[in-house]
Amino acid sequence: MKKITFVYDPETKQEKLEELIERLDPKPDNHISYSELNINDFSSKDWLACSLPDILLKELFEQLKDSEVNLGLLPHPKMDQGKKGFGINTIFEKAWEEIQVAKEAPKIDLMLVNEQLAFNSLVIGTSLSILYSNSVSNFFEGVKARFSQLTKLFRKVKLKPYTITYKNGSNEEKKLETAAMGIIAVPHCESNLIFRRVIQESGLDDGRIHVLILAPKSLFSLIQFGLQNLFFPIKGGTLPSFVGYISTSEVFITSSETIQFALDGEENEEKDLTINLVEERIKLLPGASLIDAGEKGGPTEINASLLPTGRLKEELLHSYLPWVRHATSDEFKELFSLLRKNSQTTSTYLVLMALSTMIATFGLFGDSAPVVIGAMILAPLMGPIISLAMGALRQDALLIKNSMITIFWGIILGLIFSILITLITPLEILNNQITARIRPNLLDLGIAIASGIAGAYAYSKEEISKTLAGVAISVALVPPLAVAGIGIGWVDWNVFWGAMLLLGTNLAGIVMAASLTFLLLGFTPFRLAKRGLLISLGISIIIALPLGLSFNEMVKENNIIQNLSGKEIPHGLLREVKVIQMQPLKLSVTILSEKALDEQDFLEIRKEIEAEIDQEIALELTLGVRMGDIEK
């Protein structure tokens, strides 16, 4: 039969001890103070149920390393790391019940750091509190603790150099030299919140140490990761690319600087750290949650090859972590080479420009949105416009010149083909597709800005398709270009100038937004970009003035339509209200009446509508007479 001895903290007062023993049901066979404990008095059939602080628990582990005695743990106010590291139930009675029902304590692995025992974790670096949180019983205390952790991100962060030597899945020694904010190592993933969420396939006693290396390239990415894991955790979520994971039996960490670390919460510093796993060190019963985790064969590496090395490592070590990730020299050279190539006027560019404008013009005449969208997909305007944005940002005269020449010839060619199609097409009707491109407003500027951001971001990221961003830019440029050609073909200068204003708006907005995006992504210092940004911003402001007036008119039109549509006036019900002209105001309205109306009625209807909107109008009136349930 199982024989259990309750081992208590020597500092426990008599009345507290009596209370603890009273809570144990059934009662233990014996109880003894830790100060009086002699391991040699116990055999492999005996159990020790210990409620001890972490410091005494580590002493006990040293005594038990060559013993077969079974050990079970009961919660203690000062057993923070032991409870987390071994998953001990925080409720005293339930932890005692788990010990009662257990047949035998398994032999478990222990993690040593420079020969010192670690219950829960090794945390290298002073800024890693965002990756783990202590459990709190009160919800509001938990939220407060999370906000406290989050605020630690809003400060100057400097990465440090680390050399990490470990064995991979093939038992080959690997060396990783990187720049990191910090490192966390745990004996098993179940003991730590962040490991538990993102490393799903690794359980207790898998014979490996688990290591996370945090190497962010910007404060923004760090805050985003912190927010997700503190407030919106997703179990089984993937690690971001700047967090590397390795699992191995032994890790050796060195640095050219002193390594500051916390071992189970106790701070210290060393020049190097050796982390190894001692397998089956003692017989200890973990909490039920860890036992359920079992043994699993998880991954040996995640993102280790993506951590900063070489030139990127040196650039990150040079200064404090920026708010937005700066492009490396290699990234910039690759992008700049591509932009120089795209700024050149090529035969392929001219052919695609002509074809896309032709398709857009046919689609506009046919009032077909799908055909216009097809033209956008074909248009090649993205390349030279993004090149112009980078040239303006970096004050590169050659890149600006080549990009503007390419854009100029594209626009001229587009106008020529749209004019030719207009001259041979016997249609001269302002349909919805054409009308939508001759009255630009601030909403169109917003579309241009979003398109510019999309284009610049797509060019700076290899993993993003350039086609989608190209469509976004073509949305803003190809249709108004085709409408401008239609205006010339019709000799309708209102159509031409309206479309050209939209074209200029979109071009200025895209260039300004793309330049600002490249600046935020670190492709140039602000001192170099300031002049180009100010010029782009000035042009955009000048263009935005008429757009603001147009937007204001659009709002007024919308208000008139909303006020009159469905309005019941003495002569009938108003329907199908349209604003034909704002200055002077001209409306087209359908009125549904119970009887036929004469000219005097029409004059009265106009006065009734003028009274509703409080201004004079010219009116085109359509009459509908309601006869029973039938409308005419």
Side-chain angles (χ1 to χ4, degrees):
M1 186 175 177
K2 184 185 296 184
K3 183 180 179 182
I4 304 177
T5 298
F6 172 49
V7 182
Y8 58 89
D9 183 0
E11 295 185 2
T12 306
K13 295 181 180 180
Q14 184 62 33
E15 58 211 35
K16 181 63 176 176
L17 175 61
E18 291 174 0
E19 178 197 334
L20 291 176
I21 295 174
E22 185 63 30
R23 292 167 67 183
L24 299 176
D25 184 25
K27 297 294 181 287
D29 298 279
N30 190 18
H31 61 272
I32 185 174
S33 170
Y34 175 76
S35 60
E36 299 172 357
L37 180 67
N38 186 351
I39 297 300
N40 296 324
D41 295 339
F42 301 90
S43 68
S44 60
K45 296 181 180 180
D46 294 317
W47 279 76
L48 299 179
C50 302
S51 177
L52 301 171
D54 286 327
I55 188 169
L56 294 183
L57 201 56
K58 288 190 176 183
E59 290 183 10
L60 178 60
F61 274 38
E62 287 298 318
Q63 297 180 53
L64 288 172
K65 65 182 180 181
D66 296 320
S67 171
E68 292 293 317
V69 178
N70 297 288
L71 178 63
L73 300 181
L74 298 170
H76 184 282
K78 295 183 179 180
M79 191 200 285
D80 293 330
Q81 302 300 324
K83 276 190 294 190
K84 287 190 288 185
F86 303 114
I88 305 305
N89 201 310
T90 56
I91 300 174
F92 195 81
E93 289 80 0
K94 289 188 177 181
W96 173 249
E97 183 181 339
E98 290 178 13
I99 296 173
Q100 288 291 321
V101 299
K103 295 180 180 179
E104 186 179 11
K107 288 191 174 182
I108 67 165
D109 304 336
L110 295 177
M111 186 173 78
L112 300 181
V113 180
N114 287 3
E115 299 301 320
Q116 294 184 57
L117 179 63
F119 284 158
N120 183 35
S121 65
L122 166 70
V123 179
I124 300 173
T126 58
S127 306
L128 284 188
S129 61
I130 60 161
L131 293 183
Y132 58 93
S133 60
N134 296 326
S135 57
V136 290
S137 56
N138 186 288
F139 171 79
F140 294 104
E141 288 181 5
V143 172
K144 182 180 178 182
R146 285 176 169 85
F147 270 111
S148 176
Q149 290 171 335
L150 184 64
T151 56
K152 295 177 182 178
L153 297 176
F154 294 89
R155 61 181 180 185
K156 289 183 178 180
V157 174
K158 193 168 177 60
L159 305 190
K160 291 191 175 184
Y162 294 102
T163 301
I164 304 168
T165 306
Y166 63 100
K167 291 183 178 179
N168 61 12
S170 305
N171 213 31
E172 299 174 348
E173 187 174 280
K174 292 185 69 174
K175 182 178 286 188
L176 174 63
E177 295 185 359
T178 189
M181 180 181 176
I183 301 169
I184 292 183
V186 296
H188 59 84
C189 293
E190 298 300 318
S191 69
N192 189 279
L193 187 63
I194 185 66
F195 281 89
R196 232 177 15 246
R197 287 173 181 164
V198 296
I199 311 298
Q200 292 291 296
E201 302 174 355
S202 187
L204 182 66
D205 283 348
D206 53 11
R208 294 180 292 169
I209 299 163
H210 304 271
V211 182
L212 279 184
I213 305 148
L214 185 67
K217 301 177 182 68
S218 70
L219 281 173
F220 180 78
S221 60
L222 182 63
I223 292 168
Q224 183 182 27
F225 184 51
L227 278 171
Q228 177 182 327
N229 283 282
L230 288 173
F231 298 101
F232 311 103
I234 301 174
K235 195 168 184 179
T238 56
L239 285 174
S241 60
F242 64 83
V243 180
Y245 164 80
I246 58 175
S247 62
T248 182
S249 59
E250 187 174 28
V251 184
F252 185 59
I253 301 174
T254 60
S255 176
S256 57
E257 303 177 15
T258 301
I259 299 176
Q260 296 178 314
F261 66 93
L263 183 60
D264 283 343
E266 293 186 14
E267 296 183 0
N268 209 331
E269 58 181 44
E270 295 282 355
K271 283 295 293 181
D272 51 64
L273 295 171
T274 300
I275 313 166
N276 60 292
L277 200 69
V278 180
E279 297 190 55
E280 300 184 349
R281 184 69 177 265
I282 64 170
K283 296 178 70 176
L284 170 68
L285 179 68
S289 61
L290 292 194
I291 293 175
D292 292 342
E295 295 185 18
K296 307 171 187 176
T300 56
E301 287 187 13
I302 302 175
N303 295 341
S305 61
L306 301 180
L307 296 176
T309 57
R311 182 173 294 178
L312 175 57
K313 168 197 165 187
E314 298 303 321
E315 290 181 8
L316 288 170
L317 291 173
H318 182 68
S319 60
Y320 289 107
L321 205 61
W323 276 98
V324 180
R325 184 178 80 85
H326 286 184
T328 64
S329 301
D330 292 337
E331 288 174 318
F332 176 74
K333 286 178 182 177
E334 184 178 343
L335 174 61
F336 207 68
S337 175
L338 178 61
L339 293 179
R340 282 197 182 281
K341 180 181 177 182
N342 288 345
S343 69
Q344 302 296 322
T345 308
T346 64
S347 58
T348 302
Y349 167 81
L350 294 175
V351 169
L352 290 177
M353 196 67 220
L355 291 173
S356 63
T357 312
M358 289 171 64
I359 294 171
T361 307
F362 285 125
L364 289 165
F365 276 120
D367 200 15
S368 172
V371 175
V372 175
I373 292 171
M376 298 168 189
I377 295 173
L378 191 62
L381 279 168
M382 179 179 175
I385 290 176
I386 297 300
S387 298
L388 176 61
M390 179 64 86
L393 187 71
R394 294 187 59 85
Q395 296 296 291
D396 188 316
L398 181 60
L399 189 58
I400 293 173
K401 176 184 174 183
N402 289 340
S403 300
M404 291 188 72
I405 290 173
T406 301
I407 293 169
F408 171 79
W409 284 118
I411 290 174
I412 293 298
L413 198 63
L415 286 173
I416 290 171
F417 277 90
S418 61
I419 291 169
L420 290 175
I421 292 171
T422 302
L423 293 175
I424 64 175
T425 303
L427 296 174
E428 195 170 338
I429 301 173
L430 283 171
N431 58 41
N432 292 333
Q433 287 292 324
I434 296 174
T435 305
R437 272 90 187 185
I438 61 175
R439 297 180 65 189
N441 55 62
L442 289 177
L443 298 178
D444 296 295
L445 182 59
I447 294 171
I449 290 172
S451 300
I453 294 171
Y457 193 75
Y459 259 82
S460 65
K461 304 292 180 183
E462 291 183 0
E463 65 273 18
I464 298 177
S465 171
K466 309 294 183 287
T467 304
L468 296 176
V471 171
I473 285 180
S474 300
V475 165
L477 295 175
V478 173
L481 176 61
V483 172
I486 291 171
I488 295 174
W490 286 349
V491 196
D492 188 331
W493 302 115
N494 287 329
V495 171
F496 172 75
W497 287 116
M500 287 304 292
L501 177 59
L502 178 58
L503 182 67
T505 297
N506 292 338
L507 188 58
I510 290 171
V511 171
M512 181 190 70
S515 297
L516 186 59
T517 303
F518 280 135
L519 175 66
L520 292 177
L521 291 174
F523 283 95
T524 191
F526 182 73
R527 56 178 175 77
L528 184 61
K530 185 165 58 176
R531 184 182 174 191
L533 283 175
L534 288 175
I535 293 173
S536 298
L537 182 61
I539 295 173
S540 299
I541 291 173
I542 292 171
I543 290 176
L545 293 176
L547 297 182
L549 296 175
S550 177
F551 183 73
N552 188 49
E553 281 197 358
M554 183 176 122
V555 172
K556 290 179 179 178
E557 287 181 20
N558 188 61
N559 289 337
I560 291 171
I561 293 170
Q562 282 188 335
N563 288 339
L564 295 180
S565 293
K567 190 77 175 180
E568 187 81 43
I569 61 174
H571 282 82
L573 181 67
L574 301 181
R575 287 186 175 179
E576 298 179 13
V577 180
K578 296 179 182 178
V579 177
I580 299 173
Q581 183 179 301
M582 283 297 293
Q583 295 295 334
L585 182 58
K586 185 177 182 181
L587 302 180
S588 170
V589 179
T590 297
I591 184 165
L592 189 63
S593 176
E594 300 286 349
K595 60 180 182 177
L597 303 176
D598 55 26
E599 185 176 349
Q600 181 61 36
D601 291 321
F602 295 153
L603 294 174
E604 291 176 2
I605 289 171
R606 187 178 71 176
K607 291 179 180 179
E608 290 167 5
I609 293 175
E610 288 175 343
E612 289 291 338
I613 61 176
D614 196 25
Q615 65 181 107
E616 293 183 356
I617 61 170
L619 183 62
E620 290 182 2
L621 193 63
T622 302
L623 174 63
V625 180
R626 183 161 48 200
M627 301 179 64
D629 294 329
I630 302 174
E631 294 178 8
K632 289 186 178 179

